[in-house]
Amino acid sequence: LTESLVLAITIEGRTPEWAVSDDLKQYSMNIVARVKIGDDIVTDSRDIVGVFDTTGRCLGTENVSYEASSSESMTYLTVYDNTMESRELSFRLWHHATGKMMVLTPSQKVEFNAEGFVGNTKNPLILNADDQYIQRIEMEPGWNWISLNVINNDYRAAKNLLSRFDWQNGDMLTDQNHSISLMYQDGEWMSNKGKAQLDEMIISVAESYRIKVTHNMQIEMTGKAIKTEGDRTIKVKSGWTSIGYTPLVNLPVTTALADYLYEAKDGDVVKSKTEFAMFYEGVDGTFEWKGNLKYMKPGEGYMIYRQREGETSFIYPYVEANATFFNDVSPKQNAAKRIYSSSMSLVAVAEGIELQEGDRLIALSGTEVRGVTVVEAQEKTADSPLFFLSIEGDKKAALSFAVERDGEIIATSGEVMNYEANAISGSIDRPTNISFVEQDRTQLPQSGWYTIQVVRLPAAPQTKGIYIYNGSKILIY
């Protein structure tokens, strides 16, 4: 007999990388605290409290301790520093149930006091979490599309916000909606529209921005959840508009854009830097967004393409932070590096090859990987799976394609189209056809490394491209 098995699935948020540097552990003090969110005492032992100085250095961290027998919930913090000088302390909570970082306000001002104590089990320091969240955005070298989902008037002026973080020469920020580009050089931001424009530039939670960084970089912003309808209202013009994302949690595209439903038209597109979805009107009157962009996520920037004339707007839903929490719902399937700020969207079917679920379609400009996506069994036109592929670039270039299965190139195409920034090729009803030729492994050299032109190499190649290795075509990137 078939027996159903009940599964309990826990989706874990990524814990913060709070740690005290060894060189700070010279002096210490102790704090006994109780954490509250509103009127509720925090009892989850997976919640973490962090202590910081005014420069943001972590001086202590500890989990909440809950004793069921006495119904007591405390946090026993050891706070370190390498100086006996007094300095004010601040507190944060990593809330396991939501995966969010929250600001904790102490019931009294707390300063570092070497070998001192604050609070006790009968009269603990109260740490209150209200509506202040900390948004953390991690950026990789190259171009990143970002948006803010906390609101703080101190961040509205671009100069004020940018001055809070450490930048490198050559880092850039662009505002696509207003055609503004900023570049950081020798301690200053320069604008393509002059100093006056930079002084007046406003950062909006309703818009997204593209930031190019030289090194891995993490920025944190403190602010309130975006609740008011006006702040959650997004204006959309005809053509492309860069839009922000205001909800605190990941939402399915259809849920996030529910208020845009009757403004959308078949073929409209919403895209992140590496994924996109296309609006589809079924013959039975159904509406849905189809593509490899399944969820919209806090911190990511988006663009929306509107075909109708004139400007419209929609309102993001407000969802409490303790709603169902999703983290990294879909893996980053696009292996292209972040060296480009723009992308084009391709809906395609493959001809000349029978695809399997899990096959990867790779877009190439010469030997450079410009985009990668995975075949999904549920998206089909006739008998051919649909590809939804975001392709990166900055100027017109010929594109060819390859299909990879289990690490091996099983089919390739010729140059079938040109890359154009923000172009849309194909639709769900009329996808672009890409003709592939399957590889005959028996005709390939069966040992050693070769170029695609079957020229033997003395060793493994050091540059990216498609090569022949032991009778198989593989992609190195």
Side-chain angles (χ1 to χ4, degrees), residues 456-475:
R456 187 177 179 88
L457 300 173
Q462 300 299 311
T463 57
K464 57 192 175 184
I466 297 177
Y467 296 89
I468 301 169
Y469 177 63
N470 291 347
S472 300
K473 284 188 179 179
I474 63 173
L475 179 66

Side-chain angles (χ1 to χ4, degrees), residues 255-270:
T255 303
L257 300 181
D259 194 52
Y260 187 69
L261 178 65
Y262 295 106
E263 289 291 340
K265 182 179 178 180
D266 192 278
D268 282 4
V269 171
V270 59

Side-chain angles (χ1 to χ4, degrees), residues 321-361:
N322 59 357
T324 303
F325 174 73
F326 300 90
N327 185 43
D328 293 335
V329 172
S330 57
K332 293 181 180 179
Q333 298 170 348
N334 194 321
K337 295 182 179 179
R338 298 171 179 261
I339 59 176
Y340 300 107
S341 64
S342 300
S343 66
M344 70 175 286
S345 304
L346 171 67
V347 182
V349 292
E351 294 182 339
I353 182 174
E354 185 174 340
L355 295 171
Q356 300 177 7
E357 185 177 1
D359 286 351
R360 301 204 309 163
L361 176 69

Side-chain angles (χ1 to χ4, degrees), residues 40-51:
D40 298 324
I41 296 174
V42 173
T43 60
D44 193 336
S45 61
R46 296 168 296 186
D47 288 0
I48 303 172
V49 177
V51 188

Side-chain angles (χ1 to χ4, degrees), residues 410-458:
I410 62 169
T412 56
S413 78
E415 294 180 346
V416 296
M417 66 177 65
N418 286 326
Y419 171 86
E420 293 186 17
N422 293 327
I424 301 171
S425 179
S427 66
I428 293 170
D429 290 329
R430 295 183 178 180
T432 299
N433 294 321
I434 301 176
S435 296
F436 288 93
V437 177
E438 292 194 64
Q439 306 302 315
D440 183 356
R441 294 186 58 175
T442 63
Q443 301 300 313
L444 301 176
Q446 298 301 302
S447 63
W449 285 95
Y450 291 80
T451 67
I452 199 67
Q453 294 80 24
V454 198
V455 176
R456 187 177 179 88
L457 300 173

Side-chain angles (χ1 to χ4, degrees), residues 14-18 33-38 40-52 58 60-65 73-75 77 90-106 126-136 220-222 321-322:
R14 185 164 61 86
T15 57
E17 297 173 355
W18 294 341
R34 177 174 290 145
V35 182
K36 299 178 70 175
I37 299 179
D40 298 324
I41 296 174
V42 173
T43 60
D44 193 336
S45 61
R46 296 168 296 186
D47 288 0
I48 303 172
V49 177
V51 188
F52 301 84
C58 182
T61 178
E62 188 60 61
N63 287 71
V64 169
S65 176
S73 179
M74 300 287 183
T75 301
L77 288 157
S90 62
F91 302 84
R92 297 180 182 182
L93 172 69
W94 181 75
H95 191 216
H96 175 269
T98 63
K100 300 297 180 185
M101 284 190 290
M102 307 176 73
V103 176
L104 292 173
T105 302
I126 303 299
L127 299 174
N128 288 289
D130 46 25
D131 195 31
Q132 291 277 342
Y133 292 89
I134 300 169
Q135 181 184 13
R136 179 176 58 191
E220 292 184 351
M221 288 156 289
T222 302
N322 59 357

Side-chain angles (χ1 to χ4, degrees), residues 372-393:
V372 180
T373 193
V374 178
V375 174
E376 298 186 25
Q378 69 271 23
E379 302 288 2
K380 292 189 176 182
T381 297
D383 295 324
S384 301
L386 281 179
F387 286 110
F388 295 91
L389 178 59
S390 290
I391 305 171
E392 298 187 0

